[in-house]
């Protein structure tokens, strides 16, 4: 629900938006519009002038969610209610005394479709198992009503001029997803007669899943289907930069997905932009799978850059032309001008690179932190000790604002996420040490005790993770580790 302020300047209207809470699993820290999921009862609410039953149910859902989340009731007849009456209507709904349908009837209110302007239907990219098929409606905030944040989903909310909100996103001060940026851009051009037409002028506004997600200006995420580890089914390729850009992890080995990525790169080149090089975060096939195909597509001229410890094991599969060291800065010209500082961040693999852009606070984490699923530390490439230092290094970055991971959606509450990752690893370590001290010696026996919540199909993988932890405990002097992977407790250090 894109709520437009009553009496606003039509040339640069004010809309209501809110910041999603830091603890949310999906898009924490991102600005969004109020809204929510349709429930069964929404279909029972009569809506005048609705096109069909489905449209009616969606409008009823939109009106109900807006009311629940902001206290704004867009219903005919609501204008006669006093502020106090409106508050008790809301209380009737949130306390469960009445359903939305019942209270509309009880207070003599009704919904009318002509109060809501449909301005698009957007579908979450397939990079998340949690995907939303979302209808957007533009609605004027009724006179004498003021939105406020009532939902635990949001940490703050405010009126904002569309143009100013867009400028804040362009300055990388706030985060928002493509449909929100599109709405701001469209509204910032004024509430003209062709407003709805402009809203609907892009294919993504018609339910075609978004392929390119510009999380920040100059940072485009292009998820590609890959043979990766569940629950992920895609790997994020990032196209970073403006007039000059790099392609980070042209992930997919699948020809149809490569064609999609190549078409996008061709489009950028045709627009006069230039590709500096292909960059690999690490050696896993779901990240490097499309590198040679992209090089070939571009006539073989483009170079591939990676860390030495990624380049060496890739010999014979991917040719790395340039080695990237910790601290190196890749400067990309254009607007915005970006400076990607390479960080050698071992843990998931030995040669893993992450990239930090200081001005925007964007951190490309590769597989060190992901937006979906968990990170596997599999020896000998995987190393828990190194991994924890990598996480600590991330944590210490001064202006960290967003994590752009190798899989899944971006994370707008970076420190909360990093702390969660560190806590999780330390808890696992504590449990594993307790299991060893309790007599479990083989990784399989330890998995049986510690990973009791994990499906047996995943046990082989869990054993690799346990081995990684045992190696750290061994390095810490807390367990002795035999060559066959059997562990024995050592006396506790005094
Ligand atoms: Zn990986």
């Amino acid at each position: 629900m894109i709520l437009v302020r009553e009496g606003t300047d039509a040339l640069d209207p004010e809309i209501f938006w809110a910041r999603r809470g830091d603890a949310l699993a999906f898009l924490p820290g991102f600005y969004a519009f109020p809204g929510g999921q349709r429930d069964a009862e929404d279909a029972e609410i009569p809506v005048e002038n609705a096109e069909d039953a489905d449209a009616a149910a969606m409008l009823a859902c939109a009106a109900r969610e807006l009311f629940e989340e902001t206290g704004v009731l867009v219903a005919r007849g609501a204008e006669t209610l006093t502020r106090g009456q409106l508050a008790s209507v809301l209380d009737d709904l949130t306390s469960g005394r009445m359903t939305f349908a019942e209270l509309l009837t009880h207070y003599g209110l009704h919904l009318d479709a002509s109060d809501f302007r449909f301005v698009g239907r957007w579908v979450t990219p397939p990079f998340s198992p949690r995907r939303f098929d979302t209808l957007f409606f533009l609605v004027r905030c009724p006179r004498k009503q003021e939105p406020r944040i009532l939902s635990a989903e949001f940490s703050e909310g405010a009126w904002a001029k569309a143009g100013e909100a867009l400028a804040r996103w362009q300055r990388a001060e706030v985060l928002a997803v493509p449909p929100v940026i599109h709405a701001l851009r469209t509204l910032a051009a004024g509430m003209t007669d062709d407003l709805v037409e402009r809203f609907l002028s892009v294919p993504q506004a018609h339910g075609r899943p978004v392929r390119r997600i510009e999380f920040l200006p100059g940072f485009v995420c292009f998820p590609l289907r890959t043979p990766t580890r569940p629950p992920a089914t895609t790997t994020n390729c990032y196209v970073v930069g403006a007039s000059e850009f790099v392609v980070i992890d042209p992930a997919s080995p699948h020809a149809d997905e490569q064609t999609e990525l190549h078409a996008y790169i061709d489009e950028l080149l045709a627009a006069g932009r230039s590709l500096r090089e292909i960059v690999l975060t690490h050696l896993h096939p779901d990240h490097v799978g499309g590198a040679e195909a992209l090089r070939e597509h571009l006539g073989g001229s483009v170079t591939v850059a990676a860390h030495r410890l990624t380049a060496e094991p890739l010999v014979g599969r991917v040719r790395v032309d340039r080695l990237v060291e910790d601290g190196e800065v890749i400067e990309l010209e254009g607007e915005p001008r970006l400076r990607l500082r390479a960080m050698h961040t071992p843990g998931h693999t030995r040669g893993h690179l992450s990239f930090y852009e200081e001005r925007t606070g964007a951190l490309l984490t590769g597989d060190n932190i992901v937006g979906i699923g968990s990170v596997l530390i599999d020896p000998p490439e995987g190393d828990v000790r190194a991994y924890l230092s990598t996480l600590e290094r991330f944590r210490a970055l001064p202006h960290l604002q967003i994590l752009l991971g190798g899989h899944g959606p971006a994370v707008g509450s970076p420190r909360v996420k990093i702390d969660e990752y560190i806590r999780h690893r330390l808890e696992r370590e504590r449990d594993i040490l307790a299991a060893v001290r309790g007599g479990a010696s083989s990784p399989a026996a330890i998995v049986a005790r510690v990973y009791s919540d994990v499906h047996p199909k995943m046990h082989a993988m869990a054993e690799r993770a346990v081995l990684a932890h045992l190696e750290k405990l061994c390095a810490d002097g807390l367990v002795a580790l035999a060559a066959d992977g059997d562990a024995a407790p050592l006396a506790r250090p005094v």
Side-chain angles (χ1 to χ4, degrees):
M1 291 289 268
I2 308 171
L3 195 62
V4 179
R5 193 168 200 174
E6 164 72 17
T8 192
D9 177 4
L11 295 176
D12 185 9
E14 277 179 88
I15 49 87
F16 186 78
W17 71 344
R19 186 178 179 277
R20 293 172 56 78
D22 283 333
L24 294 177
F26 189 74
L27 299 177
F30 278 67
Y31 272 78
F33 301 123
Q37 293 183 56
R38 179 169 150 181
D39 63 34
E41 280 173 4
D42 292 327
E44 292 159 22
I45 298 167
V47 179
E48 276 180 33
N49 299 313
E51 256 174 50
D52 52 44
D54 197 51
M58 290 308 289
L59 285 176
C61 163
R64 177 183 53 73
E65 287 285 350
L66 182 70
F67 190 38
E68 287 173 354
E69 294 194 334
T70 68
V72 169
L73 181 57
V74 180
R76 300 283 173 105
E79 63 279 3
T80 64
L81 300 175
T82 63
R83 218 168 271 239
Q85 282 170 318
L86 210 52
S88 65
V89 179
L90 183 62
D91 188 55
D92 284 339
L93 180 65
T94 51
S95 66
R97 256 195 306 281
M98 280 190 220
T99 65
F100 193 51
E102 285 165 352
L103 68 83
L104 289 174
T105 313
H106 182 85
Y107 289 94
L109 311 170
H110 71 271
L111 303 180
D112 192 306
S114 50
D115 293 336
F116 306 80
R117 273 196 286 175
F118 171 76
V119 289
R121 175 179 187 170
W122 292 64
V123 175
T124 313
F127 64 13
S128 164
R130 200 152 168 222
R131 297 179 65 194
F132 298 94
D133 182 353
T134 311
L135 270 58
F136 287 81
F137 296 100
L138 200 63
V139 62
R140 278 189 179 278
C141 187
R143 279 180 56 215
K144 293 189 283 185
Q145 293 198 46
E146 271 296 315
R148 57 203 189 276
I149 292 302
L150 302 171
S151 164
E153 202 177 302
F154 295 115
S155 60
E156 56 198 86
W159 289 116
K161 279 185 175 272
E164 177 54 28
L166 182 64
R168 286 186 67 197
W169 177 78
Q170 277 158 343
R171 292 195 299 265
E173 291 169 10
V174 293
L175 302 172
V177 286
V180 173
I181 301 305
H182 177 66
L184 295 177
R185 201 167 264 144
T186 307
L187 286 162
M191 299 195 46
T192 53
D193 290 342
D194 64 348
L195 180 68
V196 173
E197 220 176 296
R198 286 190 286 117
F199 259 104
L200 299 176
S201 65
V202 294
Q204 308 92 282
H206 299 273
R208 209 180 110 184
V210 178
R211 256 342 265 262
R212 312 157 185 188
I213 309 115
E214 194 170 13
F215 280 119
L216 286 171
F219 291 82
V220 173
C221 170
F222 199 103
L224 295 158
R225 197 178 83 257
T226 52
T228 185
R229 217 162 55 79
T233 55
T234 58
T235 300
N236 294 333
C237 170
Y238 289 95
V239 176
V240 181
S243 29
E244 221 184 349
F245 65 96
V246 288
V247 177
I248 301 176
D249 287 352
S252 186
H254 304 306
D256 58 334
E257 289 292 278
Q258 289 174 354
T259 304
E260 295 268 343
L261 178 64
H262 298 171
Y264 176 45
I265 305 297
D266 288 348
E267 202 181 290
L268 297 177
L269 296 175
R273 294 168 61 176
S274 67
L275 171 58
R276 168 82 71 86
E277 62 188 354
I278 297 169
V279 180
L280 307 176
T281 60
H282 68 294
L283 54 82
H284 285 151
D286 60 329
H287 290 259
V288 306
E292 288 298 354
L294 177 57
R295 176 174 10 223
E296 196 181 316
H297 175 76
L298 297 170
S301 57
V302 64
T303 54
V304 174
H307 191 270
R308 181 177 58 81
L309 296 174
T310 294
E312 286 169 1
L314 281 178
V315 168
R317 284 189 288 153
V318 180
R319 192 187 83 229
V320 174
D321 312 278
R322 196 175 77 78
L323 300 181
V324 179
E325 292 295 329
D326 184 85
E328 181 189 318
V329 174
I330 300 176
E331 293 222 26
L332 299 166
E333 290 303 325
E335 187 51 51
R337 187 160 179 268
L338 298 174
R339 298 180 84 242
L340 292 179
R341 187 150 55 81
M343 298 172 72
H344 178 218
T345 50
H348 177 65
T349 67
R350 287 189 269 229
H352 199 298
L353 290 175
S354 305
F355 293 91
Y356 182 55
E357 210 287 319
E358 267 163 43
R359 190 184 57 82
T360 53
L363 178 64
L364 293 144
T365 57
D367 272 0
N368 281 314
I369 300 181
V370 290
I372 162 196
S374 58
V375 172
L376 178 65
I377 307 296
D378 186 359
E381 279 288 337
D383 179 325
V384 176
R385 250 189 164 194
Y387 184 57
L388 284 168
S389 325
T390 283
L391 292 177
E392 291 292 352
R393 239 185 118 191
F394 285 164
R395 209 181 175 288
L397 290 170
H399 310 293
L400 193 54
Q401 186 184 207
I402 184 171
L403 305 174
L404 302 167
H407 304 275
V411 176
S413 56
R415 294 224 159 70
V416 174
K417 186 76 169 180
I418 294 169
D419 286 346
E420 187 187 301
Y421 264 51
I422 294 173
R423 195 169 52 240
H424 170 75
R425 291 290 159 181
L426 295 179
E427 273 169 21
R428 277 286 192 234
E429 175 177 301
R430 195 195 56 212
D431 293 347
I432 288 167
L433 184 58
V436 173
R437 287 179 176 156
S441 59
S442 70
I446 296 167
V447 165
R449 286 197 197 190
V450 176
Y451 289 71
S452 50
D453 54 330
V454 170
H455 192 274
K457 250 171 67 182
M458 307 296 281
H459 278 189
M461 212 174 275
E463 283 177 33
R464 303 299 303 166
V466 164
L467 183 61
H469 275 287
L470 290 175
E471 285 181 353
K472 174 176 181 292
L473 289 167
C474 181
D476 291 346
L478 292 168
V479 304
L481 194 58
D484 60 0
D486 269 13
L490 290 175
R492 284 158 218 238
V494 185

